[in-house]
Amino acid sequence: VAAAVPQLSLDGDACEAIPLLSLNGGVDVDLQGFKGYSVSSFNYLKGSKDARPPSACEVDAFKVTLAALRAVGLSTSDCTDLFGCLAAVLHLGNVQFQALNSEACEVSPGIVQGGQPLQVACDLLGVSLEALREALCSRTMQAPGEKRAIRMPSNTEKAADSRDALARHLYHTIFSHVVHATNVSVGFMQMATFCGVLDIFGFEFFEVNSFEQLCINYTNELLQQYFNSVIFENEAALYEAEGIEWELRDFPDNGAIVTLLNDRAIGIFPMLEEECFVMGGSSDSWHSKLLQQHKGHPNFTAPRQKQHVFI
């Protein structure tokens, strides 16, 4: 039912909603937020290479998906809420900001087809317009040891980042909800013993890798490390303990890469988390600290001809 990565890629995953834009009846769920709109209505769709008018096959496939959702226990009302949240993700992408000064901004009053995007998203999510506007245009900070939180304005760049982060989180929540409903419907038990087949060699490298891709490859590195430990090291110890003759062979050890990524003090991910809490932290600052910290590391390089990039 939910064959998608639980992280919204604004260049791809949002396009899964395209068939919903062409449904004219034939389903008994309320598709409010989709009706009257087209692919070109949404920034998250029209900027994607995958954006295209939906075909009849895709519309039929959506109806099959709807039947599958019902099969795992989602009612008509549940499906309406689910697709309403998905529509809210797309409308959030149309929310724009205008600067009040160098450190503060407000939601642009621009009207997009069907009304003000923020208002449409609020109606679909059932939240207050003022509350969501304040959440997007400002941020809460709390110094270590302090009980009182400080509310600070956000500039247009930070507000746009907050908007996209909210859209991704909503998409993730939709995905998780469908997965949970599916597991419950088939009698999934959290502590059940099971056999699974895992493909750990799913590394992908593109010309420009997103943060999501870095997380995916990091997970693969951890799985590779676990595979090495279980298959090679533990088996080798077992053979020796039982006196079984075998030929020692070298196997790839990716421990240095895993440490580079997750070392508590100087790992790439911990340094990113630290940068998020630094006053005035930025991507440029994080990149500069990485270059300084990991200069000369055999698994870390920074192309001179490309700024803000590391390999």
Side-chain angles (χ1 to χ4, degrees):
V1 173
V5 177
Q7 286 284 349
L8 173 64
S9 167
L10 302 186
D11 186 44
D13 291 337
C15 291
E16 300 296 330
I18 290 178
L20 301 175
L21 300 173
S22 66
L23 287 173
N24 295 310
V27 295
D28 57 356
V29 296
D30 185 358
L31 296 177
Q32 181 185 4
F34 290 105
K35 293 179 180 178
Y37 296 92
S38 65
V39 172
S40 60
S41 301
F42 300 106
N43 292 332
Y44 284 164
L45 296 182
K46 63 185 180 183
S48 171
K49 62 180 181 301
D50 296 323
R52 63 194 182 284
S55 66
C57 292
E58 288 174 316
V59 174
D60 290 339
F62 167 71
K63 294 178 181 179
V64 173
T65 299
L66 189 58
L69 290 172
R70 289 208 173 96
V72 300
L74 296 184
S75 66
T76 298
S77 177
D78 292 334
C79 292
T80 295
D81 292 341
L82 186 148
F83 293 122
C85 289
L86 185 58
V89 169
L90 296 177
H91 285 282
L92 278 173
N94 288 344
V95 175
Q96 301 296 317
F97 305 93
Q98 59 187 23
L100 295 175
N101 51 52
S102 61
E103 297 181 351
C105 71
E106 63 179 1
V107 175
S108 173
I111 301 296
V112 181
Q113 172 188 352
Q116 219 282 345
L118 186 62
Q119 181 65 68
V120 176
C122 287
D123 292 342
L124 290 167
L125 296 172
V127 300
S128 161
L129 175 65
E130 289 302 321
L132 186 53
R133 178 189 288 125
E134 182 180 4
L136 293 176
C137 296
S138 61
R139 62 194 188 279
T140 301
M141 302 188 68
Q142 187 171 6
E146 295 288 337
K147 294 184 178 180
R148 186 173 65 89
I150 303 174
R151 198 75 176 172
M152 301 182 63
S154 297
N155 58 27
T156 54
E157 182 179 358
K158 284 185 170 59
D161 288 342
S162 296
R163 173 202 63 203
D164 293 340
L166 175 59
R168 286 186 170 92
H169 182 73
L170 280 173
Y171 188 85
H172 166 74
T173 302
I174 294 169
F175 178 91
S176 297
H177 178 66
V178 174
V179 169
H180 175 72
T182 303
N183 286 338
V184 170
S185 72
V186 297
F188 173 78
M189 293 182 293
Q190 191 68 35
M191 301 304 294
T193 301
F194 71 97
C195 290
V197 178
L198 174 65
D199 173 15
I200 64 171
F201 298 102
F203 297 89
E204 293 180 303
F205 299 96
F206 304 102
E207 184 174 349
V208 177
N209 292 282
S210 65
F211 175 72
E212 289 84 358
Q213 190 60 48
L214 177 61
C215 292
I216 291 170
N217 285 343
Y218 168 58
T219 302
N220 284 331
E221 291 288 359
L222 290 177
L223 292 172
Q224 177 70 61
Q225 187 179 53
Y226 179 77
F227 178 86
N228 290 346
S229 174
V230 171
I231 300 301
F232 293 108
E233 295 177 1
N234 290 355
E235 288 298 312
L238 179 62
Y239 288 174
E240 291 180 357
E242 296 184 355
I244 300 175
E245 294 185 3
W246 63 289
E247 183 180 354
L248 177 63
R249 294 181 179 274
D250 292 333
F251 59 89
D253 181 6
N254 65 337
I257 296 177
V258 173
T259 301
L260 171 66
L261 290 167
N262 68 4
D263 183 87
R264 290 187 177 183
I266 59 173
I268 290 175
F269 285 118
M271 289 180 68
L272 173 60
E273 184 175 7
E274 179 183 356
E275 189 67 23
C276 292
F277 289 99
V278 173
M279 186 72 70
S282 65
S283 298
D284 291 344
S285 175
W286 176 57
H287 183 261
S288 298
K289 292 175 182 177
L290 288 178
L291 296 185
Q292 182 179 1
Q293 181 63 55
H294 298 295
K295 183 179 180 181
H297 193 288
N299 300 113
F300 184 93
T301 58
R304 294 184 178 181
Q305 66 277 19
K306 295 183 179 179
Q307 295 184 344
H308 315 305
V309 174
F310 64 86
I311 301 175

